[in-house]
């Protein structure tokens, strides 16, 4: 006879099992409920360090209520009842039986400092993930009046989180995230292609203006052919050789750029249709490159922080490498625009005590994504 599921059986099966940090939090809270004076040995965490509202409410209650007399606490549940009553103001689903279960699941109350360190590490990972997600979201927010400035501000906020984690978990040499960078994201680059073609054609018609946009690099362009043609133009200009569609086409042939499938006549026609100014199109290309770099950096940090196997040491090392890409493009953007975008002031990270944990893994540095 076939099995007939209960009405809510499928829904229960769909609930994912708790993450390891959930059990760590239970052990920590159990230790503190059993022996509240062990709170003196716990540092580096606050109520918002916990992964659930119930655990956060319990820790807040334990931290704020006066501690009971140890002898009295061993004989009755008066203090536990006060903790429950206080926590219920923030988490209404808590029960007395859950508090007693926490005490039962704590293997060693004296290990409370180690449990707290684990909770702190997981909270650091969640903070980094949130900051990276905000950076990626900013890049795609079409409603922003100043997208570059906003993206750079979010990059500064991400860097501040990294600095704070580094202070709490000093990095070890040679430690990198264990997973590679995320794959390149596909994007609609029709506008980019058209603007880059105008840049190349205008620079071919006005080669004297190329020197003024030395801050634009071939990697800033979205297509390999366009990047190669820009390198042809800058090379010819540096050699002080004649520049026109024909000379650029010949230089492109010497570099093997026609292997990208473009017919020579098509390249000549593209280079013969200038419009606007070289500086305008170059700045547009650099702006697009900066935003694409910000997105890729955010996605790299998302990938690192999304893997719970990466330690805080690894997250700091990987995030700082990713943020270095934004810093490089940012410097060129400042040269291009003649302005210095305001940087978010980084607060001095709080110092903490306690021995760090150690886990080391190594991964190759990810390459930059093709935009």
């Amino acid at each position: 006879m076939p099995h007939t599921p209960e009405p809510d059986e499928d829904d229960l099966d769909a609930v994912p099992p708790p993450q390891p940090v959930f059990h760590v939090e239970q052990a920590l809270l159990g230790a503190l409920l059993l022996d509240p004076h062990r709170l003196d040995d716990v540092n580096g965490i606050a109520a918002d360090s916990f992964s659930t509202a119930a655990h956060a409410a319990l820790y807040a209650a334990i931290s704020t209520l006066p501690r009971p007399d140890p002898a009295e606490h061993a004989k009755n549940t008066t203090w536990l009842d006060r903790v429950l009553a206080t926590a219920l103001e923030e988490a209404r689903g808590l029960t007395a039986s859950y508090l007693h279960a926490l005490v039962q699941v704590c293997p060693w109350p004296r290990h409370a400092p180690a449990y707290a360190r684990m909770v702190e590490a997981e909270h650091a990972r969640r903070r980094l993930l949130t900051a990276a997600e905000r950076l990626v979201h900013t890049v795609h927010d079409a409603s922003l009046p100043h997208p570059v400035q906003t993206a750079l501000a979010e990059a500064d906020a991400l860097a501040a989180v990294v600095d704070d984690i580094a202070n709490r978990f000093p990095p070890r040499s040679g430690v990198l995230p264990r997973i590679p960078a995320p794959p390149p994201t596909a994007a609609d680059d029709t506008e980019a292609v058209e603007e880059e073609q105008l840049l190349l054609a205008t620079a071919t018609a006005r080669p004297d203006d190329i020197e003024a946009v030395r801050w634009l690099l071939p990697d800033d362009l979205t297509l390999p052919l366009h990047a190669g043609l820009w390198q042809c133009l800058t090379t010819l200009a540096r050699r002080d050789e004649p520049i026109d569609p024909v000379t650029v086409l010949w230089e492109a042939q010497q570099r093997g750029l026609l292997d990208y499938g473009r017919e020579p006549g098509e390249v000549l026609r593209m280079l013969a249709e200038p419009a606007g100014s070289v500086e305008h199109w170059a700045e547009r290309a650099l702006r697009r490159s900066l935003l694409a770099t910000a997105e890729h950096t955010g996605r790299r940090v998302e990938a690192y922080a999304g893997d719970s196997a990466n330690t805080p040491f690894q997250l700091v090392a990987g995030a700082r490498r990713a943020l270095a890409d934004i810093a490089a493009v940012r410097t060129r953007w400042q040269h291009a625009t003649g302005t210095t975008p305001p940087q978010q002031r980084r607060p001095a990270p709080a110092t903490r005590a306690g021995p760090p944990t150690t886990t080391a893994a190594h991964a190759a540095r990810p390459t930059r994504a093709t935009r």
Side-chain angles (χ1 to χ4, degrees), residues 142 144-148 188-200 202 213 215-217 219-222 230 275-293 329 332-333 336-337 368 371:
L144 296 174
H146 305 291
V148 169
D188 182 6
D189 58 359
T190 302
E191 182 181 39
V193 170
E194 293 175 350
E195 291 186 358
E196 290 172 7
Q197 289 176 348
L198 290 171
L199 166 67
L200 296 169
T202 307
V213 295
W215 33 261
L216 186 70
L217 301 181
D219 285 348
D220 293 322
L221 305 186
T222 58
W230 182 249
S277 69
V278 173
E279 187 172 4
H280 171 76
W281 298 122
E283 185 174 318
R284 293 279 296 177
L286 182 58
R287 174 183 178 274
R288 187 178 296 106
S289 177
L290 188 151
L291 292 175
T293 301
V329 184
R332 293 190 289 116
W333 175 257
T337 59
R368 179 180 179 184
R371 296 179 294 279

Side-chain angles (χ1 to χ4, degrees), residues 325-349:
D325 292 340
I326 294 183
V329 184
R330 181 182 202 153
T331 299
R332 293 190 289 116
W333 175 257
Q334 293 174 6
H335 286 304
T337 59
T339 59
T340 302
Q343 285 188 310
Q344 178 175 328
R345 183 180 180 84
R346 297 189 191 178

Side-chain angles (χ1 to χ4, degrees), residues 28-29 32 39 42-50 53-65 83 87 116:
L28 173 59
L29 293 171
L32 299 179
L39 191 63
V42 171
N43 52 52
I45 61 173
D48 63 358
S49 301
F50 290 80
H55 288 178
L58 281 173
Y59 184 79
I62 293 171
S63 303
T64 55
L65 287 174
V83 169

Side-chain angles (χ1 to χ4, degrees), residues 82-117:
R82 294 180 63 191
V83 169
L84 177 60
T86 303
L88 277 171
E89 297 176 5
E90 300 296 332
R92 305 188 70 175
L94 283 169
T95 63
S97 62
Y98 186 65
L99 268 65
H100 289 285
L102 292 176
V103 173
Q104 295 297 320
V105 300
C106 178
W108 295 100
R110 67 175 180 268
H111 291 171
Y115 302 150
R117 184 64 165 169

Side-chain angles (χ1 to χ4, degrees), residues 37-43 67 110 112-114 116:
H37 288 79
R38 293 194 182 275
L39 191 63
D40 293 334
D41 302 326
V42 171
N43 52 52
R67 299 173 196 175
R110 67 175 180 268

Side-chain angles (χ1 to χ4, degrees), residues 125-135 154 158 302 305:
R125 189 179 66 83
R126 292 198 304 270
R127 289 175 60 206
L128 192 64
L129 182 61
T130 299
E133 289 172 344
R134 286 179 58 88
L135 176 58
E154 289 297 338
L158 173 59
E302 275 184 343

